[in-house]
Each structure stands twice: as C-alpha cells, then as structure tokens.
Amino acid sequence: MRRQLSIRARIVVGAGVVLTVFLLLAGYALDRTFTDNIRSAHYQRLQSHVYLLLAAAELDAGGGLAMPAGLAEPRFSLPDSGLYANIANPGLKEEWQSLSTLGLDVPFLRQLEAGEWRFTELHVGGRTYLAAAYGVKWATGPRAMPLTFAVSEDEREFRREIGQFQRNLWVWLGGAAVVLLLAQTALLGWGLTPLGRVARELRRIEAGEQARVQGVYPVEIAALTDNLNGLIEHERARQMRYKDALGDLAHSLKTPLAVLRSALAEPATLAQTVTEQVGRMDHIVQYQLARAAASGSAQLAPPLAVVPVARRILDSLAKVYRERELAFELAADPHCVGRVDEGDLFEILGNLLDNAAKWAGSRVRLSLSNEGRALRIVIEDDGPGIADPSAVLQRGMRADERVPGQGIGLAVVADIVAAYGGDLDIGRSEQLGGAAIRLRLAK
C-alpha cells in the first residue's frame, strides 16, 4: 500500500516552501530598496560636486571659462579616477573637462535649460555612468552666458556597493532560513510528541501489552484518546457478549436436550415433551441472539433523534392493541437526542412499551428527555404494577404466565442498558398508578 507523507514531513516541507518564498520576496524588496537608496545617495553626491564646480568656475572678460588649476575634490585631478567633470559653454563653443577624463571617452549631459537639473544613466563603450547636470545663465557684463555643469561617475563603485550588500543580505537571509527551519523542526517534533506516544500505545495495545490508552494528553488529543478507549472497550464488550452468549446458549440447551433424551424412553409423553422443550429452546436461542446483538455504547456515532423512533413504535403498538382501545401518550422534547444505536433503541422501546401495553388498563405513557449528556426514558402504565422487579429481569421469568410472552424482553433491555453504561429502575407510577420503568443511557 502506498504511504503518504507523514504529518511532520508535510508541515516541514510546507513551512520550508512558505519560508523560502517569504525570504525571497523580503530579500528582493530589501535589495530594491537598498539599490534605490544607494542610487539616490550617489546622485546627491554628484549634485554636491556640481555645486563645487559652480563655486570654482569663473568667466573672463570675453565670456570664456577660467577654472583653477586644482579642485577641492582630488579625484577630479586623477586620471581614470571614476569621477569626471565637464562644463559646456555653447555660446563660445568651448568645454572644460577635469584631468580625470584624460584619454577617456566619458559621456556628459550638455545644453540644459537654465535652472534645470537632470539625473540619469549614460552608456558608452560598454560602460555605464551615473550622471548629474545643471543648467545656468552666467551673467558677465551686459550679457548672460548659458553654461551646463555636468558630473559623471563610473557605475562600478555603485555596483560594488550593491554587490557587497546583496552578498551580505543573502548570506544572512539564508542563515536565518536555516535557523528558522531547524527551530521549527525542533518545535514541531516537540509539538507532535503526544501523537507519537499515542501511536506507541496503540502498537502496545495491538501486541496485547496493555488494555487501553493510558497516557495523559493535551486537550486537542484527549477527545481522540477518550473515544479510542471507548471504542476499544465497546469492541471488547461486544466480543465478551458474543462469547458469553455462546457459553450461556450451550449451557442453557443442556437441560432441554437432556429432557428430550430421557423422553425417548417414554413414548406416551414424547410428543408433549418435545413440544415443551422445543419451545423452551426457541426462547433461549432468541434471548441469547438478542443479547449478543446489542450494540452497546456508540461514542463515535452521531446523535440520534429519538422522537421519530418513538412515534413509529407507538403507532405500530396502537394498531396491534386497537381492540383494547389503549391510549398511547408521548411526552418529549422534539429536539431530544441520544448517542445510541437505532436498533438498540428499537429493542429497548419496543420491549418496554409492548410489556406496558400487555399490562395496562387503558393508558401507556412514554417520556423522553435529555439530562445533561444522558438520555432519560420513562415508561408508565395504569396496570397492576410489578410486584417483584428483580425477578422479571431474569431470563425466562414472567410476572404472570397467563399473559403471553417469552420472559426475555426486560432481561434483554437490562443487558443493553448495561452495555451503554446506564442504569434501569423499576418502580410504581405516581400519576398512572401502574408500573414505571425508568432508565438512563449515558452519552
């Protein structure tokens, strides 16, 4: 049989996938945010270099550029330093470039409108530059000269900072993912420990080393273990009932068989003896089958609506006892339920109501109610009552031989009630004056 992934494996795999996706998205967001911030910081530095050029620039009497031999930023004076400057004077078709541009084809922004700032990336010769430029109107004498101050920076420094951040970011995120997965696996193992204990106890039960689940478990599992214990006890009780029924059946049939065997020596009374003993054996067999078939407590069964079952039985009995004009009364909450097998409920109500109808003068009353988690059943009649309650609970015993019956109904009911962990009481009805049978089936 193909096995599915264990709960532990499912949770670990699912958590790993979710954590991986989360960290990837978080890393991507952090990387994009850091990249944008670093780019913004580089543009701000380029802007400050533009201001440096503005402070250092001068125009001579003819409007030509006059720049000092050195600038405050030393990288402008170092060839191929990565930082480059350009001042365009389109009026005189001249440009000034920093010494760092010697021998290089560095791109610059030119001819911007006065007061216009521009920040962008420029590409040339397979290299990328971050560029900033500012356009001004420079007044010199009676005229104003349009100038564009531009600074370009090799993107390698920018990429180096981004690369270092990305390496650190993914190393730390990967380490955090490993630590979180290990911690989650450890916590998961601790959290699933009770399930492992339950599984081990069930294996010991299967091996016959213990009779029931004995451990104390968290509330989420306690209901399961309680139901498992109930199911185990229910199954053992069922097996015991079958075993006892077979043993009792074999024991009970010994006497009728012995009587039949001895009757063979008396042909004159053989027919009568055979009839009596066959009837007795039939009663014994019916009783033992009914007792063995009792389902017992059904903790895992859904709640059963008991009123419809009661109405069906009362309607059937009303037809059976139509000639006696008996009044069958039902007093019950329409929402009354019980965790009881429907067949067992038919057996209980059918036997008790039929007995009540046999003895009743004119009225039979059935009351159904829920008391906490238990189902309470009361059956009353206006007959003579039961003089010896303990006797009628014994197999084959009847309160009056003149009333037809097999004498096993109440005994079967008593066995079923005991299987449900309930109790049965036989007394006298205060309202109707006859017998009152009160029983409770635990849920």
Side-chain angles (χ1 to χ4, degrees), residues 45 149 203 229 313-314 383 395 417:
R45 286 203 297 269
F149 294 81
R203 286 193 291 270
N229 282 332
I313 295 175
L314 291 175
R395 69 182 73 173
V417 172

Side-chain angles (χ1 to χ4, degrees), residues 296-299 337-341 348 369-377 416-424 439-443:
S297 179
Q299 294 186 21
V337 297
R339 288 193 182 275
V340 56
D341 180 78
I348 292 172
S369 61
N370 283 127
E371 292 184 355
R373 295 179 55 81
L375 172 63
R376 183 170 178 79
I377 302 173
I416 296 176
V417 172
Y420 277 88
D423 51 69
L424 184 148
L439 59 93
R440 182 182 61 84
L441 298 179
K443 287 188 181 180

Side-chain angles (χ1 to χ4, degrees), residues 269-307:
T269 60
L270 178 62
Q272 180 181 356
T273 303
V274 168
T275 301
E276 292 176 352
Q277 297 306 314
V278 168
R280 182 179 178 185
M281 286 189 290
D282 180 58
H283 295 168
I284 294 172
V285 170
Q286 289 190 39
Y287 168 73
Q288 295 296 347
L289 290 177
R291 194 182 73 161
S295 296
S297 179
Q299 294 186 21
L300 300 180
L304 174 69
V306 299
V307 173

Side-chain angles (χ1 to χ4, degrees), residues 182-257:
L182 291 176
Q184 185 167 8
T185 302
L187 289 173
L188 182 62
W190 176 70
L192 294 180
T193 298
L195 290 179
R197 288 166 49 206
V198 170
R200 289 192 294 273
E201 287 208 59
L202 290 178
R203 286 193 291 270
R204 287 196 292 269
I205 292 173
E206 292 174 355
E209 298 175 3
Q210 64 186 60
R212 63 198 309 275
V213 179
Q214 299 172 347
V216 179
Y217 294 96
V219 293
E220 295 84 358
I221 304 177
L224 172 64
T225 56
D226 290 344
N227 284 333
L228 283 174
N229 282 332
L231 187 61
I232 292 170
E233 292 170 1
H234 166 57
E235 185 61 26
R236 285 179 177 159
R238 181 192 293 271
Q239 293 176 358
M240 186 60 66
R241 284 197 303 274
Y242 280 123
K243 180 180 178 181
D244 292 345
L246 290 175
D248 290 348
L249 181 61
H251 179 76
S252 301
L253 291 178
K254 286 182 179 179
T255 300
L257 289 174

Side-chain angles (χ1 to χ4, degrees), residues 82-415:
L83 183 63
Y84 314 99
N86 180 83
I87 303 175
N89 186 0
L92 298 181
K93 296 182 180 181
E94 70 168 338
E95 287 188 6
W96 172 89
Q97 290 188 350
S98 63
L99 294 176
S100 57
T101 63
L102 289 176
L104 299 175
D105 181 17
V106 180
F108 293 101
L109 295 169
R110 298 175 174 87
Q111 297 184 352
L112 270 63
E113 296 294 331
E116 179 185 358
W117 278 100
R118 187 178 300 174
F119 303 93
T120 187
E121 292 183 359
L122 300 177
H123 307 275
V124 65
R127 297 174 68 175
T128 302
Y129 298 84
L130 300 178
Y134 181 55
V136 299
K137 283 286 188 179
W138 197 289
T140 174
R143 59 178 179 172
M145 302 295 292
L147 301 177
T148 300
F149 294 81
V151 178
S152 294
E153 183 182 31
D154 197 315
E155 197 186 34
R156 286 178 296 181
E157 178 63 23
F158 169 72
R159 291 300 173 191
R160 187 189 66 80
E161 293 183 31
I162 296 300
Q164 183 178 3
F165 171 78
Q166 289 176 339
R167 286 190 296 273
N168 292 334
L169 173 66
W170 294 115
V171 166
W172 280 103
L173 286 180
V178 172
V179 171
L180 287 175
L181 283 176
L182 291 176
Q184 185 167 8
T185 302
L187 289 173
L188 182 62
W190 176 70
L192 294 180
T193 298
L195 290 179
R197 288 166 49 206
V198 170
R200 289 192 294 273
E201 287 208 59
L202 290 178
R203 286 193 291 270
R204 287 196 292 269
I205 292 173
E206 292 174 355
E209 298 175 3
Q210 64 186 60
R212 63 198 309 275
V213 179
Q214 299 172 347
V216 179
Y217 294 96
V219 293
E220 295 84 358
I221 304 177
L224 172 64
T225 56
D226 290 344
N227 284 333
L228 283 174
N229 282 332
L231 187 61
I232 292 170
E233 292 170 1
H234 166 57
E235 185 61 26
R236 285 179 177 159
R238 181 192 293 271
Q239 293 176 358
M240 186 60 66
R241 284 197 303 274
Y242 280 123
K243 180 180 178 181
D244 292 345
L246 290 175
D248 290 348
L249 181 61
H251 179 76
S252 301
L253 291 178
K254 286 182 179 179
T255 300
L257 289 174
V259 173
L260 289 175
R261 192 177 295 110
S262 62
L264 294 176
E266 301 178 9
T269 60
L270 178 62
Q272 180 181 356
T273 303
V274 168
T275 301
E276 292 176 352
Q277 297 306 314
V278 168
R280 182 179 178 185
M281 286 189 290
D282 180 58
H283 295 168
I284 294 172
V285 170
Q286 289 190 39
Y287 168 73
Q288 295 296 347
L289 290 177
R291 194 182 73 161
S295 296
S297 179
Q299 294 186 21
L300 300 180
L304 174 69
V306 299
V307 173
V309 175
R311 291 191 185 279
R312 289 166 58 186
I313 295 175
L314 291 175
D315 291 343
S316 300
L317 291 176
K319 297 176 182 177
V320 172
Y321 293 98
R322 180 182 303 159
E323 295 180 357
R324 293 177 53 191
E325 298 183 351
L326 293 179
F328 291 93
E329 304 172 7
L330 175 62
D333 180 353
H335 303 293
C336 185
V337 297
R339 288 193 182 275
V340 56
D341 180 78
E342 186 175 12
D344 288 345
L345 186 61
F346 268 106
E347 191 73 28
I348 292 172
L349 295 182
N351 277 308
L352 295 182
L353 288 172
D354 185 51
N355 283 341
K358 290 176 181 177
W359 292 95
S362 60
R363 295 174 63 191
V364 175
R365 175 183 294 171
L366 169 62
S367 301
L368 302 171
S369 61
N370 283 127
E371 292 184 355
R373 295 179 55 81
L375 172 63
R376 183 170 178 79
I377 302 173
V378 180
I379 298 176
E380 304 169 275
D381 63 67
D382 59 351
I386 299 177
D388 188 358
S390 59
V392 297
L393 294 178
Q394 299 177 17
R395 69 182 73 173
M397 295 298 296
R398 296 189 301 181
D400 192 335
E401 296 292 336
R402 293 171 298 177
V403 178
Q406 300 171 352
I408 65 174
L410 285 176
V412 170
V413 171
D415 284 343

